[in-house]
Amino acid sequence: MKAGTQSGERPVSDAEAGFEVGEGFERFSQKDDIFCRSFWDPEVRTSRSEMFYETYRTPELRWRPVDGFTRRDYALRNASWHVTDLFAEFREGADRREGFLDPYTVLRDGPGPPDESDEPEEVLAARFAVELKTAARALGADLIGITGNDERWVYTHAYSRETETEKPQELPGELGNVVVIAQAMDRGLVQTVPSALSGTATGVGYSSDTVVLLAIAQYILNMGYAAVPTMNDTALAIPLAIKAGLGEYGRHGLLITKEFGPRVRLGKVFTDMPLAHDRPRRFGVRETCEVCRACSDACPPKAIAMGAPTGRVYNISNIRGVRKWTTDAEKCFRFWSNQNTDCSICVRVCPYNRDYSRRLSRLWRWMAGTRLRRLALWIDRRSRRGRRVASRTWWGDVRLVGLNVAPGRGAQENRRHPRTE
Ligand code: SF4
Ligand code: SF4
């Protein structure tokens, strides 16, 4: 399976996407992903990691009277995961955790072949791409891009929770295109990290990813083509998202989008529908990361690289042969386990984590894309934009004024930015 292109289209090179893939490159097996290792690898699986997962099922286990870690914080966090958890557990009896280890199940044959068309291939692909994006937005996608499939980023094997080892990758080889979506995470919730409450932004992102991916796949099937909707399973999402024009790669190892900064969850649909491809978009992230250390300075276990991009790997959870900023997933996951919830401090402090509906934020992003980026970073530090907001402030802590309850910051944020910013 080669990187797919439509005829007449100039292929997206690694250089255009900002990748440096070297001779020592090895494709990744999902078994080595840190979350899979937390089940089979005694180096990662500990009583703390087991408790970490247990709190997602039994929130009363670890709540304590500390801001951000109370019962209501865990209750909301776990509620936000509910939809994606339902889908993940639906076919566990058949050794499938859909969305995390296996693709979502869809109709295999679809409702009939595509319509006959006498349009030239590139015209059809361009029309389908526009229509698909319109459809995806109507179905709830916040960002959408299209690129060719590239087997380098497809996992060599899937991971079986039943046998705790590799199992065959089930992605059919003939699906040459990938539709990549990004769902925005709530900025107000992310501001409360470290907290169990902030994990709600992650859960909402995954739950909406699940619904939107299934709906986009169903649209493609209804048009007569094959579609395999995938979330964290099947392939690395970030290289595909970069090639699909959704954003750039940041020092913290996350995608940084122009619209939401690093506050996104990604999903992808593999398909044989003819689709025109997008091209990578650069807006100065790499250059900003070269002079910014906000995430590596703020990361409690120091899991984020301080220096220039290298080919260094910390452990088997890092892909080999790609020159980039690489994070130490073992240190990061240990920190998550120890605090009984996920962490996104690096997302909170990243200066690209802004509300881009505001003109000043768009002005800041423009500055960061120019030689004024050091000034932009100084302004960001002075403004204290990345400071933590107390969870009780987000909740509004039921300030009773007479009989009126004043809304919390979370409610105010939701009113100001109804869905997207
Ligand atoms: S999620 Fe937290 S622990 Fe992990 S890299 Fe980011 S700041 Fe560090
Ligand atoms: S915090 Fe700074 S160094 Fe880290 S990803 Fe964001 S811009 Fe790059």
Side-chain angles (χ1 to χ4, degrees), residues 193 251-254 294-296 298-304 327-329 331-336 339 342-349:
V193 71
R251 177 184 291 280
H252 45 30
L254 303 171
C295 54
S296 46
C299 174
K302 298 294 172 229
I304 300 174
T327 54
D328 186 336
K331 281 186 179 173
C332 175
F333 182 72
R334 201 174 304 125
F335 181 72
W336 292 24
Q339 66 161 9
D342 62 320
C343 162
S344 41
I345 291 174
C346 47
V347 175
R348 189 194 85 210
V349 301

Side-chain angles (χ1 to χ4, degrees), residues 35 38-39 48-57 333:
F35 298 104
S38 70
F39 290 93
R48 297 305 301 250
S49 70
E50 283 175 10
M51 179 61 74
F52 164 79
Y53 287 120
E54 196 54 40
T55 67
Y56 284 83
R57 287 180 284 273
F333 182 72

Side-chain angles (χ1 to χ4, degrees), residues 125-249:
R127 177 166 68 79
F128 274 170
V130 171
E131 290 172 358
L132 179 72
K133 288 177 183 180
T134 304
R137 288 195 192 96
L139 295 169
D142 288 334
L143 300 177
I144 174 163
I146 299 167
T147 188
N149 194 358
D150 185 336
E151 99 178 337
R152 292 176 302 174
W153 314 122
V154 175
Y155 295 137
T156 55
H157 296 85
Y159 172 69
S160 160
R161 276 283 286 276
E162 205 166 278
T163 62
E164 294 190 354
T165 188
E166 290 174 335
K167 65 180 181 181
Q169 173 62 264
E170 64 182 71
L171 186 69
E174 65 277 9
L175 305 184
N177 290 324
V178 193
V179 180
V180 189
I181 64 161
Q183 297 304 100
M185 292 162 66
D186 185 280
R187 197 169 65 90
L189 286 164
V190 169
Q191 289 302 112
T192 69
V193 71
S195 67
L197 174 66
S198 67
T200 307
T202 312
V204 171
Y206 278 135
S207 288
S208 75
D209 240 0
T210 299
V211 171
V212 173
L213 287 166
L214 280 165
I216 291 173
Q218 196 59 48
Y219 167 76
I220 294 172
L221 288 162
N222 291 349
M223 292 293 290
Y225 294 94
V228 176
T230 74
M231 200 163 67
N232 285 7
D233 53 284
T234 306
L236 297 168
I238 292 179
L240 295 168
I242 293 171
K243 282 207 168 173
L246 294 193
E248 285 189 60
Y249 187 73

Side-chain angles (χ1 to χ4, degrees), residues 79-90 97-100 104 202-211 231:
S80 72
W81 280 79
H82 188 60
V83 170
T84 202
D85 280 346
L86 280 178
F87 280 89
E89 289 161 15
F90 194 47
R97 269 190 74 76
E98 297 195 354
F100 293 92
Y104 289 110
T202 312
V204 171
Y206 278 135
S207 288
S208 75
D209 240 0
T210 299
V211 171
M231 200 163 67

